Structure formats: C-alpha cells, structure tokens
Amino acid sequence: MQKATGDITILAIESSCDETSAGICKNGKIVSNIIATQKVHEQYGGVIPELASRAHMQHIVPVTEAALQKAGCSKTSLSAIAFTQSPGLIGSLLVGSQFAKSMALALNIPLIAVHHMQAHVLANLIDDPQPGFPYLCLTVSGGHTQIVLCESPLTMTVIGETIDDAAGEAFDKSAKLLGLPYPGGPLIDTFAKEGNPGRFSFPEPKIPGLDFSFSGLKTSILYFLQNAGAGNIYKQELTATEDEKRNFIQQNLPDICASVQARIISILLNKLKKAAVQTGIRNICLAGGVSANSGLRAAFVETGKKEGWQTFIPALEYCTDNAAMIAITAYYKYLAGQFADLKITASAREELQ
Ligand code: KG4
Ligand code: ZN
C-alpha cells in the first residue's frame, strides 16, 4: 500500500442515512463537498432504509466524480479513502463502505474508517476561527443528542446524551403531529420565525445530570392538540375531533411551532450551561443537523455572550450530514497513522469511543 509523501489529499464518503456525499480534504482544507439529498422519502414521512440504500447506489459514483472534479483532483493523486463506518442504517453504510474499500484496494492507498458522531464534532475544525482545546460540543442530529468533551481531534468523551428521542426526532415528530411533511425540523424553524414562542408552554423534563429526554414533549404536544383543539387548553378532556384539531393547528401554526421550538432549545441550552459550569470549559460548539435551526443558533450565541463563552457553529453545509466532516476527521486520523484494514465492516451501532 502506498502512503503519500507530499500533499495529503483524502477522498471521503458519507452514506450513513439519506444523504450521499463525497468530499475532499487537501492538507487539512476542504476543497469539495458534494451532497445528494434523497427526496424519495418525503412521501413516506420518514427515511425508508431499503430506498435509502438503493438511492445511495445510484448517487455514489456521480457524487464522487463531482467531488473529484470540483477539487481538481485525479483519482491517482489521492493519498487515502475515508468512509463513515458507524453508526447509521446498515444498508446505507454498506454502500459507502464497500465503495470506499474497493477504491482503496484498486488505488493501493490507505483506508480510513470514521465514526459519524466524531465527524460531526470535528466539523467545527473545518473553517476559521476554530475552537481551542478542550472544547465542549453539543451535537444535535436526527439520531443523536450528545454533549461531547473534546480534548484533541482524536480524544473525545460523551458526558451527556439523550435517554430516548434525539433533538431532531423531537422536531420531526412534533412536525408530524402538526401534519407537516418529513423532515419537519426545517419547517418548524420556518413557521417559528412568524410565531410567539411564549404563547404556549410545554413542560421541561426533569432529568438528572447532563442527560436529555424528549419523548415527554411529543406526548405533551399530542395532549395539547387534543385539548386545545376543543377549546380546553387548560383541561384534560382530550375531546377534539380530527377536524377541530386541524382547524386549531391551521389558525395557530406559527405560535405552536415557535413554542415547541423554544422548549426544545431551552432543554438543550440548559444542559449545555450545566456542562460548561461542571467542566469549567468556555470554548463551546454546536454540531449536527439541528444546529441548522435558526432559533437554536441565535439562542446559542446569545447564551454564550451572557455566560462568557467563545461560541462556534459550523457553516450550514457542514451541520447536516456531509462528507467534508468525514474528510477532516480522516485527515487527523491520517496524521496519527490510524488506518483501517480492508476486512473492516460497517456497523449500524457503535458508541463514540
Ligand atoms: O445530522 P443530520 O443531517 O442527520 C443525522 O445524522 O441524523 O440531522 C438531521 C436532523 C433531522 O431531524 C432534521 O429535521 C433536523 O436535523 N434539522 C432541523 C433543521 N434542519 C435540519 N431541525 C430543526 N431546524 C432546522 N432548521
Ligand atoms: Zn449526522
């Protein structure tokens, strides 16, 4: 196997869920990041694993070719191939991992396996200004919600995480209850901009330590719609008909979205404040798909000013799933000589550590 001596140029493949992405990192700088989003799932209200795998198979070659072209790189100039090894949908991961392994074998260059959640945390190292170490990262995605203590690019510990739903699921499931299509997170964000976040109050769960819980929020929204739709906001009668609920949602959608979003944000930021106090760390980052939420971004920056934090948020294209974050992580693994054997397999679930 050849290890490059000059430029370090890494092609990375991300295929853990419903985004097929290829990106290139040259000497620690991202020079391309191509993302093909799978629209096929919208009509089903969630990601259908089998359809995701098939779409990855269709997209992976053109997306990789586009990434090479945008970066002005040839395959033979690559120093290593990286891929998302875990966690994710196994069929989706298999498409990316087999593709990456084949390329590494054919080009006779090293293979680098990357943990998707580690990559979300390191998305903060793509652009300047970068956080100094140690930093805390609140990673909020469709499948995970974690507070990670990051001591160096390759040394990180999860110090808090959700015990049930992830923050992205809280957004998507709330949106579903409101009759909005999948993925509902960005739609709640849009409607919330026009709404009053103080109009309706949803309960904040009392979970000890730095862990989160979002499943109760979904239940409280369900009951709220059944009460409020029948004009019984403060009673527990649950008597609204489907038509009444629909009308109530239609008349109050921006206020409901703003109130739900405000509660999700307060749950997240209250735990992040607690983590900052407990660790004494003042470099604080956001990461993951939900960090694209405009309300969370604004509240995070505002909280940072009050608490005396240095705050960092990746550019939008590096918040949702993307190969650039896999490429930057692979760059640090390359420097540390952390290569994978071609026998490595993808894994649906693997803890960060
Ligand atoms: O990190 P990501 O792209 O994929 C996973 O690894 O899960 O996160 C996807 C999640 C979805 O739940 C989606 O609804 C949410 O991120 N999301 C948002 C916004 N944009 C994406 N949630 C709220 N507001 C947004 N603007
Ligand atoms: Zn993700």
Side-chain angles (χ1 to χ4, degrees):
M1 182 200 302
Q2 290 158 6
K3 195 173 155 193
T5 46
D7 285 337
I8 301 172
T9 308
I10 301 173
L11 166 69
I13 306 291
E14 154 64 31
S15 70
S16 63
C17 191
D18 58 342
E19 242 91 46
T20 317
S21 183
I24 293 177
C25 175
K26 194 166 181 185
N27 300 325
K29 291 283 156 222
I30 297 302
V31 287
S32 68
N33 181 43
I34 307 293
I35 304 171
T37 300
Q38 303 177 359
K39 296 282 174 206
V40 61
H41 308 287
E42 275 169 16
Q43 58 190 303
Y44 300 104
V47 176
I48 308 292
E50 175 65 20
L51 297 181
S53 312
R54 292 182 199 193
H56 283 305
M57 290 196 290
Q58 283 171 347
H59 292 153
I60 200 148
V61 171
V63 161
T64 302
E65 277 173 353
L68 285 163
Q69 195 178 24
K70 172 120 193 271
C73 291
S74 65
K75 289 188 202 77
T76 50
S77 69
L78 294 173
S79 319
I81 309 287
F83 69 102
T84 304
Q85 188 243 339
S86 184
L89 300 172
I90 192 66
S92 293
L93 289 166
L94 279 172
V95 177
S97 61
Q98 292 306 114
F99 182 81
K101 283 160 73 170
S102 311
M103 275 193 83
L105 180 66
L107 295 167
N108 194 27
I109 54 175
L111 178 71
I112 300 174
V114 172
H115 193 286
H116 183 86
M117 300 313 294
Q118 180 182 20
H120 271 304
V121 173
L122 296 187
N124 282 286
L125 302 185
I126 292 177
D127 287 329
D128 290 331
Q130 296 181 10
F133 294 101
Y135 67 79
L136 290 181
C137 183
L138 171 66
T139 314
V140 273
S141 73
H144 293 82
T145 298
Q146 299 181 326
I147 300 177
V148 179
L149 167 56
C150 187
E151 290 169 273
S152 77
L154 303 181
T155 318
M156 48 183 82
T157 316
V158 178
I159 58 171
E161 63 189 326
T162 183
I163 58 168
D164 42 52
D165 289 349
E169 276 177 291
F171 271 106
D172 296 339
K173 288 180 179 175
S174 304
K176 198 168 184 179
L177 290 171
L178 295 170
L180 300 173
Y182 178 86
L187 291 168
I188 291 197
D189 190 356
T190 304
F191 286 113
K193 285 183 187 139
E194 311 297 323
N196 171 6
R199 170 97 184 278
F200 304 113
S201 173
F202 295 101
E204 179 154 3
K206 301 208 173 357
I207 306 296
L210 298 176
D211 288 338
F212 303 90
S213 169
F214 288 100
S215 63
L217 180 65
K218 187 186 56 188
T219 313
S220 73
I221 294 168
L222 185 73
Y223 288 169
F224 163 79
L225 293 174
Q226 284 174 340
N227 286 322
N232 298 326
I233 293 189
Y234 301 108
K235 296 182 194 161
Q236 294 297 311
E237 296 180 1
L238 312 180
T239 50
T241 63
E242 282 307 308
D243 271 354
E244 285 171 331
K245 249 178 14 186
R246 231 188 329 270
N247 286 341
F248 175 77
I249 292 169
Q250 214 167 27
Q251 285 158 17
N252 298 283
L253 189 57
D255 287 350
I256 303 173
C257 288
S259 303
V260 168
Q261 180 171 296
R263 176 52 74 216
I264 296 174
I265 292 171
S266 79
I267 293 172
L268 292 170
L269 294 185
N270 284 342
K271 288 294 170 118
L272 192 55
K273 278 196 272 188
K274 200 168 171 181
V277 170
Q278 271 185 23
T279 59
I281 293 172
R282 288 281 171 273
N283 288 329
I284 319 274
C285 304
L286 273 188
V290 180
S291 57
N293 182 270
S294 59
L296 176 60
R297 293 168 88 89
F300 172 68
V301 171
E302 198 50 40
T303 304
K305 278 188 197 146
K306 282 196 199 129
E307 301 288 319
W309 300 345
Q310 292 258 62
T311 53
F312 304 86
I313 314 177
L316 277 177
E317 68 171 310
Y318 306 135
C319 285
T320 46
D321 287 349
N322 67 88
M325 68 183 192
I326 307 299
I328 194 82
T329 307
Y331 172 70
Y332 288 103
K333 290 192 121 185
Y334 188 99
L335 294 180
Q338 292 185 10
F339 301 114
D341 191 275
L342 280 174
K343 289 197 197 99
I344 194 168
T345 53
S347 162
R349 262 170 198 274
E350 216 162 88
E351 298 300 317
L352 176 57
Q353 269 338 310

